[in-house]
Amino acid sequence: MDLNDKIVADTWAKSFSSAKDLPKQLTSDHRSFTSFNNQQQQKKWEVSSILDYNNRIQPPFPEFNHTPEAPRNHNSQIKGPDREDMQSNEKPDNKRFQEWDPRVMLNNLSFLEDKIHQLQDLVHLIVGRRGRVLGQSDELATQQQQLITADLTSIIVQLISTAGSLLPSIKHTLSTANPAIGQLGQLGSMLFPPTNSLNGVVLQQNSGGSKVSGQSNQIDLTVNCGTEQNYAAEEHDPKDDDDDADEGENLAPGSYEILQLEKEEILAPHTHFCMICGKGFKRDANLRMHMRGHGDEYKTPAALAKPNKDSSEPMLLKRYSCPYAGCKRNKDHKKFQPLKTILCVKNHYKRTHCDKSYTCSRCNTKKFSVIADLKTHEKHCGRDKWLCSCGTTFSRKDKLFGHIALFQGHTPALPLDETKPSSLPSDRTENNESKLGNIGFNFSASGSGGNAIQNMVDVKGAVDDPAAYFSPLNFDPCNIPGFHEFPRPTFEESDGFFSFPIPGACNYNQKTGGDSGSNDLE
Amino acid sequence: MSTMKRQRSDKAFNFTPFDLLTEEIVFLILDFLDENPLDKKSFSLVCKTFYAIESRHRRTLKPLRSEHLTTILSRYPHVTSLDLSLCPRITDSSLNVISHVCKSNLKSVDLSRSKFFSHIGISGLALNCSNLMELDLSNATEIKDSAAAAIAEAKNLEKLWLARCKSITDIGIGCIAVGCRKLRLISLKWCLGVGDLGVGWLAVKCKDICSLDLSYLPITNKCLPAILKLQHLEDLVLEGCFGIDDNSLTVLKQGCKSLKTLDMSSCQNVSHVGLLSLTSGAECLQQLILAYGSPVTLALADSLQNLSTLQSIRLDGCQVTCSGLKAIGNWCVSLRELSLSKCLGVSDEGFSTLVTKHKDLRKLDITCCRKITHVSIAHITNSCPSLTSLKMESCALVPREAFVLIGLRCRLLEELDLTDNEIDDEGLKSISRCSKLSTLKLGICLNITDEGLSQIGLCCTRLVELDLYRSVGISDAGILAVAHGCTGLEIINVAYCGEITDHSLMSLAKCPRLNTLEIRGCPLVTSLGLTSIAVGCKQLSKLDIKKCYNINDAGMIPLAHFAQNLRQINLSYSSVADVGLLSLASISCLQSMTILHMKGLTPSGLASALLACGGLTKVKLQACFKSMLPQPLFEHLEARGCVFQWRDKAFQAEVDPKCWKLQPEDVQ
């Protein structure tokens, strides 16, 4: 969720709201681009075929060339109408989904617009220079091209990350970026492979525009191939797809295809979007479940089936590269170790190259960049109940033992609840008093437990509610006051926060025979 | 004391010789009055000077009520040792008072039977009493690790008892281990929350530990290496540590060199193999306790034969083989103490071999060794003339002639337990030659009569304890002789000796030290006899008059008046009614009462008596009273520190006294 504020805070902030400018660039050059909207084709499209498609992206393009509608009309030169188009398309959407603040969106769009303008100026400048200095070195040209590529990529990615909610009737960034496609939103529940083609198109267009030979177009294409799989892939339990899952894999360098996603694609929160209402989902299966609510045609076994099972065509092994230069998982690294799946890429990138912005609300010290990691930690947080007086915590008692045995002056520290007077023997009725003490204790424990649960609910709400993605800052602040309000949560409560075991306090009663035996006089 | 009192009163008017004595000298005199706490009390009551001297002299206090702590602590400013085990109720505020009044004077506190305090009170003690060296918190089942952390503040603590502190865990023990580095003795018996790690911490941090009681802890072999590395460890108790087994023990390279006493009772998983590795290297091991453990076989006996300094071994309750006993007999050492109590398989053959080799035996326990006969007794008496203690309860096959041998040959006997044996008057007459005899138990000896007992009373003048439980041949004459001869008698049990009458009690009243009297089931005894006891035996603290049907309120009133030291009384089946019970409230020490099947007792009488007896800690009542009296009453009493035990036993008629005798056919 913080993905978004990160992006906002990032270098890409300027280009944030230029979404509407993108379509014209995308469509201006590549004629086959809008062919994706062809309904007939969509039905055939399974994830596997998408992947195939990406490998040989050019040949099938002409086939899909029958929808020359709105996108055709868009030209990079005609800015005004395009912008209007865009806005007119968006407004109904916004009305339909009241949780999206149109003003915020407008703001974003104008940001994006500015960014596009800047880029346009830059390209103009380059073109102008090129005309004057013909003998310019190839290096400079390459640099310029890379600069523009980077800028464009940033814009696109910005668009991707916001598109899901900005233009809800469209499934993907491409469609989001393209208002015409947005109008064709009734097409069905197909999955789009747009990001790939989007990037490829952009690059081609870019290089074409600047008259520089696209040196890395091919690579970028393959890189972007990953995106579809990303979108199509079921999101697994993060534990299964650990970074190191493929550590031991020994694939010959040429035996697999290396794909590389861009940072922003990796960080995009949702990868599946409802074509009708625009709601975003992390998993394809969730989307399909969701689609059932839009009509009977989505309830057929075919529509509910997992899409990519019937691919019989042998595929080249795919492995992924981390876009972060210098990373061992980056394909340029000397000892490159590829990542196995998209999810691996995502988790690896977040864990390794992103800020750890999820703070555990219990211990307030541990931070994570992957929310699943946070949840895993929270399950065990506080279980590190073996405390030393020096403040070190241990998950296992024997570790604490070793620590205490080793260091002079260190003492095992009691868990916080121990130091509270849990049973106050009184002058009058001892039993009642101690019960009272326990009740008080339970209350505080359950209070904090409830609080933790509340936090968890907040997290969940934020995950499920698309709107929450765009106000991610709400997440942390709502945790913090809860944390301070109650005593530090104690261990065990994640299991049963209302039944905190107080050893001996309640179970052992003064009245038992053994105790009375102690009163025997000699 | 009485002579001193008289002197004092004679010369009180002008000059007293005590004015010449410096306080130091009087202190030295007072040091000799330790034997009986009441002596010092008498001394202090003589005059104001004596009172003041005694106040300054006293170092130990054992108060009965916590209410008066402030006053008694200000009266005795130099108290270093405080035993609070008699106080039914010790709260944090009591401990607070103690810690602020005694401050660094206090060295020892016993809270072993106290309730109602928490870690706050302990914390105050530990912080204010910086010289605290001994702390007994046994039976404080409620205290938790927080209390252990509070104990850890007592940096000078040397001895700590935490028996049955079930809520303390490893963490608490860790705190104590780190905080109390000077610990020399620690008892963790029944601290079920403490495992290897806690014990390990103790062993790692407290290098001075001499005595370590780990009975019934869930420990395994993991903590043993660290324990055995303790340089000064002398006393190690591993009783009932089921987690310790042979496999773990054999790994140990060597045992503890300094170990003197090792208790491996009830360690069922340890056989001779583990024992061998544990005791190897224990060069000065003196006492070995292997009760209820693995069978005493040849292998076990052989594995222990290298213990060159062994003096005492207890094999209670073990399966014993003849060859095992013979092998013990072949040890090079000469044992001083041997206990084969309740051992199965002790035969004349093996046992005789054993005792003929160990001629230095001082203490021998062959309780319930039912197979031995006069052969064994002959060997014992022949080869062990220096026996001081012989316990041979229920040796049913030993004929009456054999007991004559004991008296003939073992003249040094001080303790003799012949309960449930065939001994007769001839035997008793012979035993009366043991002039040092102080404890004699003759329960269920149906063959003895007044004749033999009179001889005992005549000769064994040092007798302190006499048990005649269900020895139905005894009557007033025998008791009379004993009471005349053994004026130092402190404990006597004549329960179910039906012929006993008030005459016996009147004669026993001449034994001023008598503190325990059991006349249960003596229907001929009346209130008159009890009155004479109450008048004569000022130190009476335990009295059992169950089934003395002729004792009624008339006996209770003088008892309540005179027996001001009475702490425990059993009144079941007696004819005592409301008035008598209520009168007992004037005995401030009274802590324990058993009140079952008392026909004359009404609920309201019981209620008023219970309320009036402020120091009660334990009351056994018939279950029917539970519903007859209001629940808040019991809650109130429980809050005062009283524990109720409800019994729902039917009225028991008296049975044939002979049935208590173990019949030969009962022995397999």
Side-chain angles (χ1 to χ4, degrees), chain A residues 62 82 141 155 177 247 295 303 355 369 444 493 503:
Chain A
D82 184 24
I155 292 164
E247 199 66 81
D355 288 337
S369 48
S444 69
E493 66 197 26

Side-chain angles (χ1 to χ4, degrees), chain B residues 459-533:
Chain B
C459 305
C460 306
T461 50
R462 298 191 188 180
L463 210 59
V464 171
E465 181 181 353
L466 179 62
D467 185 352
L468 295 167
Y469 175 85
R470 288 191 194 272
S471 293
V472 289
I474 301 297
S475 66
D476 285 340
I479 303 296
L480 199 72
V482 170
H484 270 293
C486 319
T487 46
L489 203 64
E490 291 178 20
I491 301 168
I492 187 162
N493 186 345
V494 289
Y496 301 104
C497 297
E499 295 176 29
I500 298 289
T501 67
D502 286 344
H503 293 295
S504 291
L505 297 191
M506 283 169 191
S507 59
L508 284 173
K510 304 262 175 20
C511 303
R513 289 169 176 267
L514 197 70
N515 61 44
T516 303
L517 174 63
E518 276 203 47
I519 44 175
R520 179 185 290 204
C522 298
L524 301 179
V525 169
T526 68
S527 299
L528 194 66
L530 188 64
T531 305
S532 58
I533 287 285

Side-chain angles (χ1 to χ4, degrees), chain A residues 327-382:
Chain A
C327 173
K328 198 182 182 184
R329 305 292 195 171
N330 183 269
K331 60 180 182 291
D332 297 330
H333 193 274
K334 267 189 287 182
K335 294 178 180 174
F336 171 57
Q337 284 190 317
L339 293 153
K340 250 184 186 169
T341 66
I342 294 289
L343 206 64
C344 289
V345 177
K346 285 186 143 193
N347 284 337
H348 160 78
Y349 193 85
K350 285 181 190 171
R351 281 177 187 144
T352 322
H353 310 301
C354 288
D355 288 337
K356 301 186 176 201
S357 45
Y358 300 117
T359 309
C360 173
S361 58
R362 295 186 182 200
C363 61
N364 222 13
T365 48
K366 286 266 182 187
K367 294 183 172 184
F368 304 91
S369 48
V370 178
I371 192 141
D373 292 357
L374 172 71
K375 283 180 181 170
T376 310
H377 162 81
E378 277 183 335
K379 266 182 215 160
H380 300 278
C381 183

Side-chain angles (χ1 to χ4, degrees), chain B residues 255-287:
Chain B
C256 182
K257 283 198 172 67
S258 55
L259 207 60
K260 284 185 178 164
T261 303
L262 176 64
D263 188 344
M264 295 285 287
S265 303
S266 307
C267 289
Q268 285 142 354
N269 299 325
V270 178
S271 75
H272 62 94
V273 182
L275 211 54
L276 182 61
S277 66
L278 195 61
T279 52
S280 69
E283 291 151 359
C284 41
L285 195 68
Q286 290 176 355
Q287 190 179 16

